[in-house]
Amino acid sequence: MFFTRLAAAATACAILIAAVIYPAAPAGAGAHLAALGDGFQRGPLADKACPLAGSIITQPFADLADVLSVSPLGGVTAPGEALPAPFIRINTRKGATAFERRTTRVMAPARADITAIERRILRDATGAATGQSWTVHLRTCENVAIQLGDLDTLLPDLVRRAGGVAAFAQIDGPDHSAVRTQLRVRAGAEIGTADGFDVALIDTRQAAKDLVRPERYRTNPYLAGRVLGVTPELLSAIALDHTQAQCPLDYLPTRLRTEWTQKLGDVYGMRRAKGENACRTALADIPDTAQGAWFTDASHNGVATRLRAIALAPDSVDPQRQIFALHGRLRSFSPDLVALTPKAKSAREAAAQDFLSFAAAPDGRSHGRINQPFGRTEAGRIYCYQGLRANFVGPRINGVLLFEVSGKQEDRAPATMKMELRGDVQSCIDLPEPWAFTGAETLFYR
């Protein structure tokens, strides 16, 4: 133990001496020393008790001057992200051109151990590789884990200390790999760079969210029987328990929390987050209503293949705006129903794969059957939705959408929901009574 500490001290001294001898490079040496951290001589941080929430994160995630907005927890609008997102999204300001985002340095928000690193190869529509994306898993103490995701670059020294890319094991196909690590980093140390990235925080001290099917969220999405030669410890290290996701901003010191909370809003920085809980620390499921995540089969976990799940939820920025995060999973939604000219074929097809939004009816209006907020629906009743458009500002949809959640189920029997987009009428009041499905509906499960 003595010689281990002596070696670490000698390494630190060597770097500091180099900074004096080569004054042109003190910043690089300092960054390397910060990333190096203080090792595992005193044991992993996963064995240490956690302080109060406001004392866990001590540094910002990035330079606030580079940040345009912070997308709240629970977003359901991104393609492939139908489940309520367990992370916030850091959106950076404009880059060199109007179509680029500014690249910012991503920082370790606390003294932490990097327990795993994920690497994904990005490809275009032709299958050609266009880049790579990194996710870093950190443990700050016994109960709190932090994930920094969608990084464009990772500090080369971290990759080297993890054993290099050759040490990464394939997880979910050749384009997704990961490695377990034991790397100590200090608060404020640079992790990598990104033109926007995700931050997730799991706190097992907090009560799990009251979800309709919590096992849907707790199951390790990578344990699908097709991951061979990968240790359970690695799979566990990269899993994320949605049921105990918290808002990372709540764990910042007071001054930083105030500054960052003011950034909560949409991805373009145009709309400020509304509501008492602007960060949306709760997930979206509400029992016996339509609000929440639904799946295309009764048993398999939709996290592993995200497009197998849909979500019905309020917009995380403006709860009065409600979202059908369908992303092509509704068979009755054809591109022909998108209010664009037939010549705009590709745009119509893209809109049919997007999410839909609408303005919810105020309390007490429309007898509770038209544009009713998802959280106020009841099982056993058919509801109708009109005035739909693709995303928030996209083209209108020529038709109305019907759904019905099944009545009370026997114990352990999954709830079901029928959903159909009707193009034969343009408003709910034009739909003949009693409202009914035509046989083209899609069945979803809790």
Side-chain angles (χ1 to χ4, degrees), residues 103-106 150-155 190-195:
T103 295
T104 188
R105 295 191 304 159
V106 181
D150 199 20
L151 277 59
D152 299 324
T153 69
L154 193 67
L155 199 69
E190 180 177 347
I191 298 295
T193 64
D195 60 2

Side-chain angles (χ1 to χ4, degrees), residues 73-97:
L73 208 68
V76 296
T77 60
E81 297 283 355
L83 291 179
F87 49 76
I88 57 174
R89 175 76 181 177
I90 310 298
N91 307 299
T92 57
R93 294 183 181 276
K94 187 176 73 172
T97 71

Side-chain angles (χ1 to χ4, degrees), residues 83-84 211-221 240-243 283 285 293-305 308-309 412-416 444-446:
L83 291 179
L211 300 171
V212 175
R213 293 284 300 278
E215 69 275 14
R216 295 276 202 181
Y217 302 86
R218 292 194 181 115
T219 302
N220 190 322
L240 194 64
D241 186 349
H242 291 56
T243 68
L283 294 182
D285 279 1
W294 294 83
F295 300 82
T296 54
D297 63 76
S299 58
H300 295 96
N301 184 7
V303 181
T305 306
R308 292 171 58 190
R412 304 191 65 80
T416 60
F444 297 98
Y445 302 83
R446 279 290 197 193

Side-chain angles (χ1 to χ4, degrees), residues 371-389:
N371 285 24
Q372 179 78 334
F374 302 130
R376 296 208 305 263
T377 59
E378 299 176 0
R381 297 187 66 187
I382 296 179
Y383 292 86
C384 182
Y385 293 83
Q386 60 189 18
L388 302 168
R389 64 166 65 246

Side-chain angles (χ1 to χ4, degrees), residues 283-440:
L283 294 182
D285 279 1
I286 297 181
D288 301 320
T289 75
Q291 182 166 312
W294 294 83
F295 300 82
T296 54
D297 63 76
S299 58
H300 295 96
N301 184 7
V303 181
T305 306
R306 291 179 176 180
L307 288 180
R308 292 171 58 190
I310 68 168
L312 279 60
D315 173 30
S316 58
V317 174
D318 181 4
Q320 187 62 22
R321 193 86 190 164
Q322 304 268 302
I323 295 170
F324 288 99
L326 304 175
H327 302 301
R329 307 310 297 178
L330 186 64
R331 62 176 182 171
S332 56
F333 186 11
S334 71
D336 296 339
L337 297 178
V338 179
L340 293 173
T341 64
K343 293 182 179 180
K345 180 179 178 181
S346 60
R348 296 171 76 182
E349 291 175 346
Q353 298 294 318
D354 211 336
F355 68 91
L356 305 181
S357 69
F358 65 93
D363 291 345
R365 300 285 181 88
S366 303
H367 306 290
R369 294 199 304 161
I370 299 176
N371 285 24
Q372 179 78 334
F374 302 130
R376 296 208 305 263
T377 59
E378 299 176 0
R381 297 187 66 187
I382 296 179
Y383 292 86
C384 182
Y385 293 83
Q386 60 189 18
L388 302 168
R389 64 166 65 246
N391 59 68
F392 293 117
V393 295
R396 293 281 183 179
I397 305 303
N398 290 327
V400 301
L401 193 150
L402 299 179
F403 72 67
E404 179 185 21
V405 175
S406 62
K408 296 286 186 178
Q409 302 290 300
E410 296 179 2
D411 289 345
R412 304 191 65 80
T416 60
M417 178 175 62
K418 296 179 181 179
M419 183 181 294
E420 181 181 2
L421 189 57
R422 297 274 300 268
D424 54 331
V425 295
Q426 300 304 306
S427 67
C428 295
I429 59 174
D430 294 332
L431 193 65
E433 297 275 6
W435 293 344
F437 300 97
T438 67

